[in-house]
Amino acid sequence: SIAASNANQFIGGLAAFAIFVMQIAVIFNTKWKIGHPQSQESSTNAIGWLLLNEYLLPFEIVSILLLAALIGAALLSRKN
């Protein structure tokens, strides 16, 4: 079968290794911008303020959507 072919596994392994090498090359050859460090407390406060004030409605909609996805997954995984 196609899935159990050693030649396909070898070609897939070579392709995966080539992609890995390209990613490592990009990581080490990129000139990364280094910003000024921020205090963690101030950014945590800012995120909390934004979630509970400016982005409250989208935050609640996403939470309901995730709850529905969890309930759906539980229903699909049950045996009849």
Side-chain angles (χ1 to χ4, degrees):
S1 93
I2 293 175
S5 171
N6 285 336
N8 286 340
Q9 289 178 351
F10 181 73
I11 292 170
L14 280 178
F17 182 73
I19 291 171
F20 175 73
V21 169
M22 285 189 291
Q23 288 177 344
I24 294 298
V26 167
I27 289 171
F28 286 113
N29 292 325
T30 300
K31 302 288 186 212
W32 299 101
K33 285 186 175 181
I34 299 180
H36 301 290
Q38 296 181 349
S39 70
Q40 186 174 2
E41 186 175 318
S42 66
S43 59
T44 305
N45 287 338
I47 291 171
W49 186 87
L50 285 172
L51 281 178
L52 294 177
N53 290 306
E54 195 168 331
Y55 296 109
L56 181 63
L57 184 61
F59 181 69
E60 291 297 326
I61 291 172
V62 168
S63 68
I64 291 171
L65 180 66
L66 289 173
L67 178 63
L70 283 171
I71 291 172
L75 287 175
L76 287 174
S77 67
R78 285 183 20 179
K79 292 183 181 179
N80 292 333

